[in-house]
Amino acid sequence: MQAFELTELLEQAASDDQRYLEFLRVPDLSVGLYQLAAGEADPQSPHQEDEVYYVISARARIEVGDETRPVQAGSIVYVAAEVPHKFMDIEEDMQILVFFAPAETH
């Protein structure tokens, strides 16, 4: 079994000054913690894998393809592989769990 505590992941990401902290990787799945500060621009580009975002904390919007919607704590968003997407209008610091399937290529 592999088990994780969010508080420990947040501490590790802060101590390493990482925007993205991958903490689980198996062939068909990878999971990480993604953080963006209020007012920050989201620098990501489309991925080769499908992904799911689970928003832990935030007030912002997400643009996926030609659709835009608000996100907040508890929002879950699916993004298909290769689809352009980004978080925008980040009003509150964002903490997001990101699930890639298969595991994200680096």
Side-chain angles (χ1 to χ4, degrees):
M1 171 193 305
Q2 294 186 54
F4 306 91
E5 296 296 328
L6 182 57
T7 53
E8 293 172 4
L9 295 171
L10 291 168
E11 288 172 5
Q12 182 180 347
S15 70
D16 295 344
D17 196 27
Q18 294 183 11
R19 176 181 287 137
Y20 182 72
L21 171 67
E22 180 181 83
F23 59 90
L24 176 66
R25 173 176 285 273
V26 294
D28 293 327
L29 175 73
S30 60
V31 184
L33 174 67
Y34 186 45
Q35 299 185 92
L36 293 165
E40 186 176 5
D42 184 0
Q44 66 178 318
S45 55
H47 308 283
Q48 296 176 356
E49 306 79 19
D50 287 346
E51 64 185 308
V52 173
Y53 292 108
Y54 173 74
V55 178
I56 299 165
S57 66
R59 267 198 3 253
R61 293 185 313 137
I62 188 169
E63 181 178 81
V64 178
D66 60 0
E67 297 179 70
T68 303
R69 61 158 286 159
V71 292
Q72 61 189 7
S75 295
I76 301 169
V77 179
Y78 166 74
V79 179
E82 302 293 336
V83 174
H85 60 285
K86 65 181 174 182
F87 290 98
M88 28 193 260
D89 303 328
I90 302 169
E91 298 176 20
E92 183 179 291
D93 291 353
M94 300 191 78
Q95 298 170 332
I96 308 153
L97 289 178
V98 184
F99 303 80
F100 288 100
E104 181 184 27
T105 55
H106 293 283

